[in-house]
Amino acid sequence: MARSNLDEIRVDISVSPRVNSFKPPKIRIISDQAKALMEAGVPVISLSAGEPDFDTPAAISEAGMNAIRDGFTRYTPHAGILELRQAICRKLEGSSQENGIAYTPDQVVVSNGAKQSIVQAIHAVCSSGDEVIIPSPYWAAYLEMARMAEASPVIVPTSTANNFLLDPKLLESKLTERSRLLILCSPSNPTGSVYPKKLLEEIAQIVAKHPRLLVLSDEIYEHIIYAPATHTSFASLPGMWNRTLTVNGFSKAFAMTGWRVGYIAGPKHFVAACGKIQGLMTSGANSISQKAALAALGLGHAGGEVVSIMVKAFKERRDFMVKSFREMEGVKISEPQGAFFVFIDVSWYYGRQAEEFGVIEDSESFCRFLLDKAQVALVPGSAFGDDNCVRISYSSSLTTLQEAVKRIKESLVPLTTRPLVSSH
Ligand code: PMP
């Protein structure tokens, strides 16, 4: 088609410096390459998924379909339909006593996914220059969300040896009068670690000493937890209710990633501010998904039988992965207690020369090597702030995991006899 003279008018294609400052998600580096290989017909096994491999339970989908049939397809209140917020309050305290935290519906805002809840919470409470304390390894979005709100992320490292749990003393040493928000994620993405109640109590004592400090407790993997580990909601600890923003959602435990429903609960002044932002951005969450979420909460304590079947499958896979990687030379692993990830330290392999590949330098080249040799896609730990490790999602069938482990083993074994060619 011929271009008109109007097309020649020069357009300023610059975008805001704020957007330019956002770092592209490293989590995609390997998965994009893996996708391209798959499209070219290479039988790649991708263990990079951040979502369950199960279908949304039928009762939940049915409620969504009924919502459409019933014409429940209009705008809802910005904070979410009252019956869902009431059900969330019952879940958070109520008869089922899941979390032991009392909220009223006006202290809850339902969003289009927990991600939206978190970004709104950070914007609602942080001013420019405030510090957001993020234990590493972290879910990378926290960092960019903090930057988006013109806050400064302050990273507090943890280690494999310590099951990736925060050292309260180290946390205390990082706090200043500018510290505004501590983000805790338990069970954790990417490590699968679960904070024991005693450790949370120690953290709460430190938080209590800092009047400006709030806690965002990301509990989205709450139900995907393996006994004897148990989940403690930070807001349920003495003195912490008025300091805590509790975030949860339906994506993980109920296999509802595409439905986009999450929520925040907390003191009304903070939650109302979150609602104000949401009112400007997206209004209420998807009406159909809210009905589906209501059905999910209707499944009973911790998602009832339906969720426990999924969790049982995840546990079987977790046990298989831990056993397999414990047997592998040069791998350090701390047994995850929740979520569906293992986060293993593979730095022993760094500095080793691989045939027809070159030297494995870091977590990214380790993943590139495995994609090349084993045709297995993992996520480099550098995407989560820990370059010694890689994240393996076991959100795939046991048979797929068995094949992936076999391929990884076959690729790594020849490296174990290779001398180090560079030091790390
Ligand atoms: N928190 C964590 C730790 C996550 O891993 C995710 C999803 N990857 C979310 C929050 C957001 O979940 P959603 O927006 O799907 O509810």
Side-chain angles (χ1 to χ4, degrees):
M1 196 193 287
R3 295 173 74 192
S4 75
N5 284 344
L6 280 177
D7 287 337
E8 301 303 325
I9 295 170
R10 286 183 62 186
V11 174
D12 178 354
I13 59 158
S14 62
V15 297
S16 78
R18 178 178 293 164
V19 172
N20 279 331
S21 74
F22 301 158
K23 301 208 172 70
K26 276 197 188 163
I27 199 163
R28 301 272 284 277
I29 299 172
I30 299 294
S31 59
D32 284 353
Q33 285 176 28
K35 212 168 143 213
L37 285 173
M38 282 185 226
E39 278 163 13
V42 180
V44 171
I45 299 179
S46 178
L47 302 184
S48 55
E51 61 183 336
D53 55 322
F54 298 103
D55 291 333
T56 303
I60 300 175
S61 298
E62 197 57 43
M65 289 188 271
N66 284 340
I68 299 175
R69 282 189 205 104
D70 296 345
F72 192 75
T73 53
R74 296 176 186 271
Y75 288 131
T76 70
H78 290 175
I81 54 173
L82 183 61
E83 50 182 340
L84 178 56
R85 283 181 289 132
Q86 283 168 335
I88 289 168
C89 293
R90 282 197 298 277
K91 176 251 179 293
L92 289 172
E93 190 207 19
S95 50
S96 61
Q97 284 289 324
E98 248 175 53
N99 306 83
I101 354 175
Y103 294 108
T104 49
D106 60 347
Q107 293 165 335
V108 175
V109 169
V110 177
S111 299
N112 299 280
K115 200 170 202 177
Q116 184 179 11
S117 307
I118 299 168
V119 85
Q120 286 172 180
I122 296 174
H123 276 81
V125 303
C126 290
S127 304
S128 170
D130 277 347
E131 292 167 349
V132 177
I133 321 296
I134 304 171
S136 83
Y138 44 71
W139 184 46
Y142 297 143
L143 238 79
E144 295 310 312
M145 289 172 177
R147 291 199 181 108
M148 197 164 133
E150 294 180 354
S152 310
V154 173
I155 306 304
V156 189
T158 67
S159 66
T160 321
N162 211 7
N163 295 326
F164 300 107
L165 296 169
L166 201 51
D167 171 359
K169 286 204 182 71
L170 188 59
L171 167 67
E172 194 156 26
S173 72
K174 297 274 184 176
L175 297 176
T176 71
E177 69 282 0
R178 288 165 65 203
S179 308
R180 181 59 171 152
L181 193 62
L182 164 65
I183 301 187
L184 295 176
C185 179
S186 176
S188 153
N189 173 10
T191 65
S193 53
V194 172
Y195 276 75
K197 187 170 184 188
K198 201 169 156 294
L199 178 55
L200 289 178
E201 283 167 349
E202 284 177 51
I203 293 172
Q205 279 171 15
I206 294 166
V207 172
K209 288 191 229 163
H210 294 263
R212 275 202 78 224
L213 186 62
L214 305 173
V215 174
L216 187 145
S217 181
D218 183 344
E219 304 183 6
I220 191 141
Y221 290 96
E222 171 191 14
H223 293 319
I224 307 175
I225 196 162
Y226 313 118
T230 53
H231 175 74
T232 302
S233 283
F234 197 78
S236 70
L237 301 177
M240 289 299 114
W241 186 93
N242 57 7
R243 302 287 208 114
T244 307
L245 299 160
T246 303
V247 170
N248 209 325
F250 297 85
S251 290
K252 313 291 175 173
F254 299 100
M256 290 176 69
T257 45
W259 294 79
R260 313 305 304 127
V261 215
Y263 58 89
I264 193 161
K268 194 175 166 189
H269 35 269
F270 297 135
V271 168
C274 296
K276 222 167 164 181
I277 301 172
Q278 180 159 312
L280 285 171
M281 295 208 318
T282 58
S283 305
N286 177 309
S287 61
I288 300 152
S289 301
Q290 289 186 64
K291 285 287 189 184
L294 190 60
L297 291 180
L299 293 173
H301 184 78
E305 182 67 14
V306 177
V307 170
S308 76
I309 290 170
M310 292 193 261
V311 174
K312 202 163 156 252
F314 280 134
K315 182 179 180 297
E316 193 185 357
R317 300 164 182 185
R318 190 264 325 238
D319 292 345
F320 168 72
M321 296 302 267
V322 170
K323 184 173 173 293
S324 305
F325 283 101
R326 278 211 174 124
E327 286 165 6
M328 247 181 247
E329 173 133 32
V331 171
K332 277 191 255 165
I333 180 166
S334 107
E335 185 181 70
Q337 307 297 311
F340 38 75
F341 309 108
V342 282
F343 200 67
I344 58 171
D345 185 325
V346 292
S347 57
W348 186 84
Y349 287 92
Y350 301 173
R352 285 171 208 274
Q353 174 96 32
E355 226 166 280
E356 293 166 28
F357 178 80
V359 179
I360 294 177
E361 299 283 355
D362 50 22
S363 62
E364 197 182 316
S365 63
F366 182 89
C367 288
R368 268 195 286 108
F369 167 73
L370 282 188
L371 186 58
D372 216 42
K373 288 279 173 224
Q375 282 146 15
V376 174
L378 310 180
V379 185
S382 56
F384 310 98
D386 187 340
D387 200 28
N388 287 333
C389 297
V390 293
R391 189 189 78 174
I392 309 174
S393 162
Y394 49 88
S395 182
S396 297
S397 72
L398 203 52
T399 325
T400 306
L401 295 175
Q402 282 160 346
E403 173 62 20
V405 164
K406 183 171 148 273
R407 292 191 198 176
I408 294 173
K409 242 184 203 162
E410 282 167 3
S411 307
L412 291 184
V413 165
L415 290 186
T416 57
T417 52
R418 299 261 160 166
L420 285 174
V421 292
S422 67
S423 58
H424 280 262

